[in-house]
């Protein structure tokens, strides 16, 4: 027998490159295993979802919809996707669900493709007030060449100024009224906005990327019953699945549903990452079982964290509204545009607490903002509760207010996290041999 194809001893230099990736991947895992992941857009996947994500489905294609494929070999995936569509409709209370989108941004691009034509008007929250880049001219809104007007913002309530938003909608008659933010503390009073939008013939698109798990768990708001025609979202934030997106609608109209499906494929996806879609379906099944409790625990924890941070002496935003009704908490660390948020995020990283700097009302520069945006969905997922939120706030204070030796604080972060290494609110908890990375 000759040489086995593709199997010779590798060159040390090429192998070193691959090993560098393996090492950095492991180091990144260690950072979160030993630290506190508090980025509001992130989460960790369950053991079963992890297995699916690493499966052979990774390399496969299934363009089209269940039963209507362009390739052979899709029968098993048809079973998965059909189950997923019906589960997604059930979990999100939707009449229509497409589960193929590869991210929240892709869902937004598809929704805008289905709902508007180039040159149409759209209203949305500005990025300075917490809107996502895909709601801006630099992102999906610009990609579709839409004419953007942003809602006035109510700084005290940290939500769109509802009267001003309705007035804007009635004045300019947009094609799409986009609601939802990346900085999302409180439910948006959607009924009033939807009434104004529908009066002028606009569609209401609710971007639930951040709060999808809270919505599905019945703990935030119910956009599809409060007037939203379309709901988009990520499958990996408060909804704790693998990276991906959802496109959901309250419409029973088959023509609308077909337009939405076509906007995903062939519109913006060809391969749509079957391993992630299957992972989403398992995450939906897990959510059906544990989601309501998980969502309740997240909101309890974010309130507890906000109260504890305020008690430690931090400036926590929206005190008059009890700080938060979502998974997020906002803190201000210095003057507007001072970069104090960036500095705080770096110090926290030095002790193993991973957060992100964030613009707060008044800030004008994304790279030197005054604040932090914190999320508790990941800490909740590994079983932390009110007591731990108080401990986390103390660790913040030791690092940021009392200027304690950062190595000592880091050790205590590691000690705290060592007791929270099992992923909760999922099947097969008992099979875990530790934090899955
Ligand atoms: C409101 C909002 N929409 C969309 C997205 C994009 O989601 P993805 O990262 O899944 O593309 C984000 C990301 O954080 C977001 O905050």
């Amino acid at each position: 027998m000759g040489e086995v194809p593709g199997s010779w001893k590798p060159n040390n230099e090429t192998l070193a490159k691959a090993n560098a990736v393996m090492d950095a991947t492991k180091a990144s895992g260690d950072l979160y295993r030993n630290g506190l992941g508090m980025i509001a857009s992130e989460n960790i996947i369950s053991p079963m979802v992890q297995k699916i994500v690493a499966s052979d489905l990774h390399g496969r294609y299934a363009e089209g919809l269940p039963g209507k494929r362009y390739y052979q070999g899709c029968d098993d995936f048809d079973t998965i996707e059909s189950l997923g569509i019906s589960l997604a409709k059930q979990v999100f209370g939707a009449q229509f669900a497409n589960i193929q989108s590869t991210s929240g941004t892709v869902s937004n691009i598809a929704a805008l493709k289905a709902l508007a034509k180039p040159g149409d008007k759209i209203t949305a929250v500005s990025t300075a007030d917490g809107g996502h880049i895909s709601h801006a001219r630099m992102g999906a809104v610009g990609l579709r060449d839409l004419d953007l007007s942003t809602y006035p913002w109510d700084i005290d309530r940290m939500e769109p100024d509802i009267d001003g938003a309705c007035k804007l909608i009635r004045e300019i008659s947009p094609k799409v009224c986009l609601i939802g933010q990346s900085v999302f503390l409180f439910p948006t009073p959607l009924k009033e906005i939807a009434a104004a939008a529908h009066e002028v013939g606009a569609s209401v698109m609710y971007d639930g990327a951040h709060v999808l798990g809270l919505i599905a768990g019945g703990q935030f708001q119910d956009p599809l019953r409060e007037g939203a025609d379309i709901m988009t979202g990520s499958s990996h934030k408060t909804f704790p699945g693998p990276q991906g997106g959802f496109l959901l609608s309250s419409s029973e109209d088959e023509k609308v549903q077909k337009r939405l499906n076509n906007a995903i494929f062939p519109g913006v996806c060809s391969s749509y990452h079957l391993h992630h879609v299957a992972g989403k379906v398992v995450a939906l099944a897990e959510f059906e079982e544990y989601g309501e409790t998980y969502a309740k625990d997240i909101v309890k924890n974010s309130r507890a964290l906000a109260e504890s941070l305020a008690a430690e002496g931090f400036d926590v935003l929206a005190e008059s509204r009890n700080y938060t009704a979502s998974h997020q908490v906002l803190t201000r660390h210095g003057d507007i545009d001072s970069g104090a948020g960036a500095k705080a995020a770096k110090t926290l990283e030095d002790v193993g607490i991973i957060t992100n700097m964030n613009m707060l009302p008044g800030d004008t520069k994304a790279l030197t903002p005054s604040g932090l945006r914190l999320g508790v969905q990941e800490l909740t997922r590994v079983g932390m509760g009110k007591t731990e939120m108080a401990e986390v706030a103390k660790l913040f204070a030791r690092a940021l207010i009392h200027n304690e030796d950062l190595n000592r604080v880091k050790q205590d972060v590691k000690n705290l996290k060592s007791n929270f290494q099992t992923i909760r609110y999922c099947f097969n908890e008992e099979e875990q041999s530790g934090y899955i990375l």
Side-chain angles (χ1 to χ4, degrees):
M1 209 167 100
E3 191 182 348
V4 180
S7 68
W8 56 84
K9 200 170 170 327
N11 171 307
N12 282 343
E13 269 178 44
T14 49
L15 182 60
K17 287 174 196 162
N19 281 336
V21 175
M22 295 300 285
D23 292 347
T25 303
K26 188 175 175 312
S28 177
D30 286 344
L31 177 69
Y32 291 92
R33 180 187 293 112
N34 298 325
L36 304 175
M38 298 187 70
I39 296 209
S41 56
E42 297 184 350
N43 216 321
I44 40 183
I45 49 176
S46 73
M48 215 183 211
V49 172
Q50 243 223 355
K51 266 189 207 155
I52 298 256
V53 166
S55 74
D56 174 76
L57 282 172
H58 167 267
R60 307 296 157 200
Y61 267 70
E63 290 177 343
L65 287 166
K68 294 183 206 150
R69 303 292 188 189
Y70 296 83
Y71 302 142
Q72 299 310 120
C74 297
D75 288 356
D76 299 312
F77 192 72
D78 281 1
T79 305
I80 295 168
E81 191 172 348
S82 301
L83 177 61
I85 291 168
S86 65
L87 262 173
K89 286 204 250 182
Q90 199 180 312
V91 165
F92 297 111
Q95 296 298 324
F96 164 88
N98 183 302
I99 63 169
Q100 299 176 348
S101 162
T102 50
S103 79
T105 300
V106 168
S107 302
N108 285 348
I109 297 171
L112 294 177
K113 187 174 188 308
L115 297 175
K117 292 195 181 55
D120 281 346
K121 292 180 185 154
I122 185 168
T123 52
V125 174
S126 78
T127 48
D129 292 326
H132 187 247
I133 42 175
S134 59
H135 308 175
R137 286 285 309 174
M138 66 180 135
V141 160
L143 191 69
R144 192 69 178 135
D145 199 16
L146 301 178
D147 178 3
L148 171 69
S149 299
T150 55
Y151 305 117
W153 188 252
D154 185 330
I155 291 179
D156 294 328
R157 294 187 58 76
M158 289 299 284
E159 66 186 21
D161 167 344
I162 295 308
D163 291 343
C166 293
K167 187 162 169 275
L168 174 73
I169 291 166
R170 290 192 173 101
E171 259 168 31
I172 70 166
S173 292
K175 195 83 198 273
V176 181
C177 297
L178 176 46
I179 294 293
Q181 300 103 245
S182 302
V183 176
F184 213 166
L185 294 178
F186 302 105
T188 307
L190 200 53
K191 283 190 179 143
E192 291 90 328
I193 291 183
H198 291 148
E199 210 178 288
V200 300
S203 303
V204 177
M205 171 178 163
Y206 184 100
D207 182 344
H210 263 267
V211 288
L212 212 54
L214 307 181
I215 288 170
Q219 306 304 312
F220 195 64
Q221 67 183 127
D222 194 358
L224 294 177
R225 262 145 299 282
E226 292 166 22
D229 303 295
I230 304 285
M231 182 158 73
T232 58
S234 308
S235 51
H236 49 268
K237 296 182 166 94
T238 54
F239 182 84
Q243 292 248 356
F246 290 108
L247 180 57
L248 306 152
S249 175
S250 53
S251 177
E252 291 179 44
D253 184 335
E254 278 182 21
K255 271 204 219 130
V256 173
Q257 299 189 351
K258 192 166 176 207
R259 204 160 6 112
L260 292 171
N261 276 330
N262 285 343
I264 295 280
F265 173 82
V268 293
C269 292
S270 170
S271 161
Y272 50 88
H273 310 179
L274 308 195
H275 55 322
H276 280 210
V277 171
K280 271 185 238 180
V281 181
V282 170
L284 282 163
E286 293 183 325
F287 202 91
E288 199 182 21
E289 182 72 35
Y290 303 103
E292 187 181 338
T293 311
Y294 177 49
K296 273 187 190 152
D297 291 347
I298 289 174
V299 178
K300 267 194 243 162
N301 277 348
S302 61
R303 277 251 164 88
L305 178 69
E307 284 165 8
S308 301
L309 286 169
E312 293 292 336
F314 286 101
D315 179 2
V316 187
L317 267 68
E319 182 183 359
S320 65
R321 296 191 74 183
N322 289 333
Y323 306 112
T324 181
S326 73
H327 59 306
Q328 296 184 5
V329 174
L330 297 179
T331 48
R332 194 186 286 282
H333 296 266
D335 292 340
I336 283 171
D337 282 339
S338 63
K343 194 162 166 257
K346 178 72 187 76
T347 304
L348 290 170
E349 186 181 25
D350 289 342
V351 301
I353 301 177
I354 311 300
T355 64
N356 65 273
M357 61 179 171
N358 217 96
M359 285 169 72
L360 299 181
D363 281 327
T364 59
K365 298 187 181 94
L367 288 175
T368 52
S370 61
L372 290 180
R373 183 189 66 172
L374 311 170
V376 299
Q377 69 293 336
E378 185 169 337
L379 300 186
T380 307
R381 188 122 157 97
V382 290
M384 291 195 187
K386 210 171 161 184
T387 314
E388 288 74 35
M389 293 304 111
E391 283 188 49
V392 170
K394 279 203 166 54
L395 292 162
F396 269 64
R398 287 171 59 192
L400 297 177
I401 297 180
H402 308 308
N403 300 321
E404 254 194 54
D405 175 54
L406 296 184
N407 284 327
R408 275 214 338 247
V409 184
K410 187 174 187 174
Q411 186 56 50
D412 288 343
V413 164
K414 192 172 172 185
N415 292 345
L416 170 64
K417 188 60 188 298
S418 67
N419 297 317
F420 296 90
Q421 296 289 312
T422 303
I423 298 163
R424 311 284 180 190
Y425 310 96
C426 60
F427 303 140
N428 295 354
E429 215 179 85
E430 68 286 354
E431 277 181 19
Q432 294 180 48
S433 56
Y435 205 64
I436 301 213
L437 298 165

